[in-house]
Amino acid sequence: KAGVTQTPRYLIKTRGQQVTLSCSPISGHRSVSWYQQTPGQGLQFLFEYFSETQRNKGNFPGRFSGRQFSNSRSEMNVSTLELGDSALYLCASSWEGVNTEAFFGQGTRLTVV
Amino acid sequence: GQNIDQPTEMTATEGAIVQINCTYQTSGFNGLFWYQQHAGEAPTFLSYNVLDGLEEKGRFSSFLSRSKGYSYLLLKELQMKDSASYLCAVRDTNAGKSTFGDGTTLTVKP
């Protein structure tokens, strides 16, 4: 069974640009969550999608958005990039999103210069 | 909201036992998870507690006290490969939303 796949693995962008990251969950998983991980802030919850609907949202500005497709694949978009957006972006999928473990992808390392 | 505290760093000796504590204050609680994350890699699931008590899984055990807002992860017979960051995460009553602690970096020395 394939794991959670995130693309691309590494990305370098310039301030002001926008970026789209992709996450393909484990087959059969309908819940996809996105996290930002930085050395100073740890793992911060961005949002969670379930059956194409945003079910939960963290405390990030509106520049961070996402969506989920009918095949459960998810994308997150960051517009008007800032230097502080440099981080590891992790996607996690789970079967129901309730009492089940989340499986993480390898992440996308975004560097904003 | 959720607030989760765990020590930043711990050091232990190969073969020993180490206990990593996690305390939390939450507006909602639907289970506590422990994850292991090696440098440069994705977090991997270790344990899940939703009821009070001890859950044992091989060399790893996790304990939960909901009334005290407290959990610990116990690692026995430490091995060098156990050097990693250990993340405590609390799942909200809103399914799918988990809040992570900043992680405890464990260094196992020979």
Side-chain angles (χ1 to χ4, degrees):
Chain A
K1 197 175 192 181
V4 179
T5 304
Q6 290 188 246
T7 56
R9 288 292 309 278
Y10 302 93
L11 205 51
I12 299 176
K13 288 285 188 179
T14 305
R15 270 182 303 175
Q17 287 187 311
Q18 68 92 28
V19 66
T20 299
L21 311 181
S22 179
C23 171
S24 293
I26 290 172
S27 179
H29 286 190
R30 293 192 293 167
S31 171
V32 174
S33 299
W34 287 91
Y35 294 86
Q36 181 194 66
Q37 187 173 36
T38 59
Q41 296 293 321
L43 258 166
Q44 301 290 314
F45 175 78
L46 280 155
F47 28 65
E48 185 241 358
Y49 286 87
F50 184 84
S51 293
E52 302 180 64
T53 301
Q54 188 181 84
R55 190 163 62 170
N56 290 286
K57 190 177 188 306
N59 299 319
F60 277 79
R63 299 185 297 108
F64 292 82
S65 63
R67 59 178 175 169
Q68 187 179 34
F69 302 94
S70 58
N71 62 358
S72 292
R73 188 178 73 86
S74 177
E75 290 182 346
M76 68 162 280
N77 184 278
V78 188
S79 62
T80 320
L81 283 166
E82 300 176 0
L83 295 179
D85 297 333
S86 294
L88 178 68
Y89 290 87
L90 289 163
C91 156
S93 80
S94 60
W95 180 56
E96 281 288 329
V98 183
N99 297 335
T100 55
E101 66 186 271
F103 294 84
F104 283 84
Q106 291 297 101
T108 295
R109 174 76 61 186
L110 172 65
T111 302
V112 182
V113 297
Chain B
Q2 317 272 42
N3 187 41
I4 299 174
D5 290 309
Q6 49 181 132
T8 304
E9 294 180 334
M10 297 184 72
T11 302
T13 305
E14 192 176 15
I17 298 173
V18 71
Q19 178 174 311
I20 303 174
N21 296 323
C22 171
T23 58
Y24 61 91
Q25 299 90 40
T26 63
S27 56
F29 180 84
N30 196 19
L32 187 143
F33 294 81
W34 283 96
Y35 286 85
Q36 179 192 60
Q37 186 176 24
H38 285 100
E41 297 182 11
T44 56
F45 171 81
L46 288 177
S47 69
Y48 170 70
N49 295 70
V50 67
L51 299 176
D52 290 353
L54 187 69
E55 294 282 341
E56 297 187 78
K57 189 185 292 186
R59 294 190 299 115
F60 293 6
S61 303
S62 57
F63 172 83
L64 175 68
S65 169
R66 289 172 297 172
S67 62
K68 295 181 180 178
Y70 169 68
S71 173
Y72 67 73
L73 180 69
L74 192 71
L75 292 77
K76 304 175 188 175
E77 301 168 15
L78 282 172
Q79 301 174 9
M80 300 298 290
K81 67 178 182 180
D82 296 331
S83 292
S85 180
Y86 291 85
L87 305 169
C88 169
V90 173
R91 173 155 287 166
D92 198 286
T93 46
N94 284 327
K97 181 177 180 180
S98 293
T99 301
F100 281 77
D102 289 344
T104 299
T105 299
L106 173 66
T107 302
V108 179
K109 296 186 174 180

